[in-house]
Amino acid sequence: MKCEEVREMLPAVVGETDSLAVRRHLARCPECRADAARYETLLTTTAKLQTFVAEPPPGLMASLQAIPQARGRFDEVRTHVVRNRKAYAGGAAAMVATGLAGALVWRTRSRRLAHA
Ligand SMILES: [Zn+2]
């Protein structure tokens, strides 16, 4: 089995492969073993991120409700976002982390189904 073939399969098989060919390759290829270790770390880390709950800071809801509904008020919205950038950055980070974890799970599951 070639490195490219093994690395293509790693996200779906890391830590639980039944493939003898993959296991043999990992046993003799330090580069692919290192890749497998990185995937395992990524999976472990993203699993922890899924349980992260971000609480909005007090007053954020009132600030959001105070944003004028009219269009063409971009400056007011921008000022609001700049003033509350920590809250938005935390929320964005949580969304990105959740999205990455979801994408990884989706990709892993779709590959498992494709190989089944
Ligand atoms: Zn290899």
Side-chain angles (χ1 to χ4, degrees), residues 8-69:
E8 182 68 24
M9 295 173 66
L10 281 179
V13 303
V14 69
E16 55 183 77
T17 182
D18 292 332
S19 167
L20 183 60
V22 171
R23 284 188 302 194
R24 280 184 181 160
H25 184 90
L26 291 176
R28 67 174 172 73
C29 180
E31 290 87 10
C32 288
R33 235 182 2 259
D35 263 11
R38 281 192 286 272
Y39 272 114
E40 205 150 349
T41 300
L42 180 65
L43 288 173
T44 304
T45 304
T46 53
K48 288 177 186 170
L49 288 175
Q50 287 175 335
T51 59
F52 175 75
V53 177
E55 290 295 326
L60 178 60
M61 185 56 84
S63 296
L64 290 173
Q65 289 171 339
I67 295 175
Q69 298 298 313

Side-chain angles (χ1 to χ4, degrees), residues 63-79:
S63 296
L64 290 173
Q65 289 171 339
I67 295 175
Q69 298 298 313
R71 292 178 185 260
R73 300 271 179 122
F74 178 75
D75 286 342
E76 291 180 49
V77 173
R78 186 175 61 192
T79 301

